[in-house]
């Protein structure tokens, strides 16, 4: 199950897909921020998340067998709670999927005391600014492509004109001489040889 599937699974229980996505994002963000700060996050029956420090150590490169120094680092760790372990092991049966979600007070998901109307106004304002910015980006893109096309046409016209001019001069120089003059030149050259 990925994040999108998790959102779909809880969407009808929370009251819609957008609310479910927001709830998942808020919960994950709160867990991540707490663990990064070094706190332990424990969810009864599910498990706990914590930050663990790993000291510097030596390891072996599996390809060459060479000894490599590994720096100290911090990693997140999840430990499953006893209830979760029992369910996975099969010693306890999984309860039916009728867990009722209690309605939270208004504005509790957003962290403030905003009402539903205020939240919808903020969402509408965000959509409007997004539409404006995309429209502005499209017009700028159209202008730049139009400018590129006109400059491309101008440069190709200049190149074509430049190519045509030397070509005319070259053909004028390569024009064949008259027949009679070439015969007389060959006669003179043969008479001189004799």
């Amino acid at each position: 199950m990925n994040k999108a599937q998790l959102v779909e699974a809880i969407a009808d229980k929370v009251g819609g897909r957008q609310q479910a996505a927001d709830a998942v994002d808020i919960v994950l963000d709160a867990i991540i921020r707490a663990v990064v700060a070094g706190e332990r996050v424990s969810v009864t029956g599910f498990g706990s998340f914590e930050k663990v420090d790993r000291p510097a150590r030596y390891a072996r490169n599996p390809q060459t067998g060479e000894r490599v120094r590994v720096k100290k680092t911090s990693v997140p760790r999840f430990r499953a709670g006893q209830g979760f372990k029992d369910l996975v092991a099969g010693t306890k049966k999984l309860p039916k999927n009728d867990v009722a979600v209690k309605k939270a007070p208004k504005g509790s998901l957003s962290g403030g005391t905003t009402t539903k109307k205020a939240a919808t106004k903020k969402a509408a304002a965000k959509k409007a600014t997004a539409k404006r910015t995309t429209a502005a980006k499209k017009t700028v893109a159209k202008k730049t492509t139009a400018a590129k096309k006109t400059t491309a046409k101008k440069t190709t016209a200049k190149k074509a004109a430049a190519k045509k001019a030397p070509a005319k001069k070259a053909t004028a120089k390569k024009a064949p001489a008259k027949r009679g003059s070439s015969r007389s030149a060959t006669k003179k050259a043969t008479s001189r040889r004799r």
Side-chain angles (χ1 to χ4, degrees):
M1 177 181 275
N2 60 22
K3 186 177 176 183
Q5 292 168 335
L6 177 64
V7 168
E8 286 294 325
I10 66 170
D12 32 332
K13 293 178 184 175
V14 176
R17 191 172 177 180
Q18 186 61 42
Q19 287 85 0
D22 291 341
V24 169
D25 287 339
I26 290 167
V27 169
L28 293 177
D29 184 55
I31 292 171
I32 290 169
R33 288 180 186 278
V35 172
V36 167
E39 299 174 25
R40 181 179 173 156
V41 179
S42 295
V43 181
T44 306
F46 179 67
S48 62
F49 301 88
E50 61 185 329
K51 180 179 179 179
V52 178
D53 294 326
R54 286 189 181 165
R57 61 189 172 89
Y58 285 99
R60 294 214 177 267
N61 184 341
Q63 292 179 341
T64 62
E66 183 183 347
R67 195 173 177 200
V68 180
R69 176 132 175 94
V70 179
K71 296 178 181 178
K72 76 173 190 173
T73 185
S74 298
V75 294
R77 178 183 289 165
F78 172 73
R79 287 190 182 174
Q82 191 60 45
F84 190 21
K85 287 179 183 177
D86 292 341
L87 290 169
V88 172
T91 56
K92 283 187 177 180
K93 288 189 177 182
L94 197 61
K96 290 184 179 178
N97 199 4
D98 16 319
V99 177
V101 177
K102 294 178 183 175
K103 282 199 171 183
K106 290 184 180 178
S108 64
L109 282 182
S110 62
T113 57
T114 58
T115 61
K116 196 172 187 178
K117 289 181 183 178
T120 55
K121 284 182 182 178
K122 285 182 183 178
K126 284 182 183 179
K127 286 181 183 178
T129 54
K131 285 181 182 177
R132 284 188 211 130
T133 55
T134 54
K137 287 179 183 177
K138 286 180 182 176
T139 55
V140 169
K142 286 180 182 176
K143 287 179 182 177
T144 55
T145 53
K148 286 179 183 178
K149 286 180 182 177
T150 55
T151 55
K153 286 180 182 177
K154 288 179 183 176
T155 55
T156 53
K158 286 180 182 177
K159 286 179 183 177
K163 286 180 182 176
K164 287 179 182 176
K168 288 179 181 176
K169 290 178 184 175
T171 54
K173 289 179 183 177
K174 290 182 181 179
K178 292 182 181 177
R179 275 188 163 189
S181 62
S182 63
R183 285 183 186 168
S184 61
T186 52
K187 284 181 183 177
K188 287 180 184 176
T190 53
S191 63
R192 286 183 193 158
R193 287 183 197 159
R194 288 183 192 169

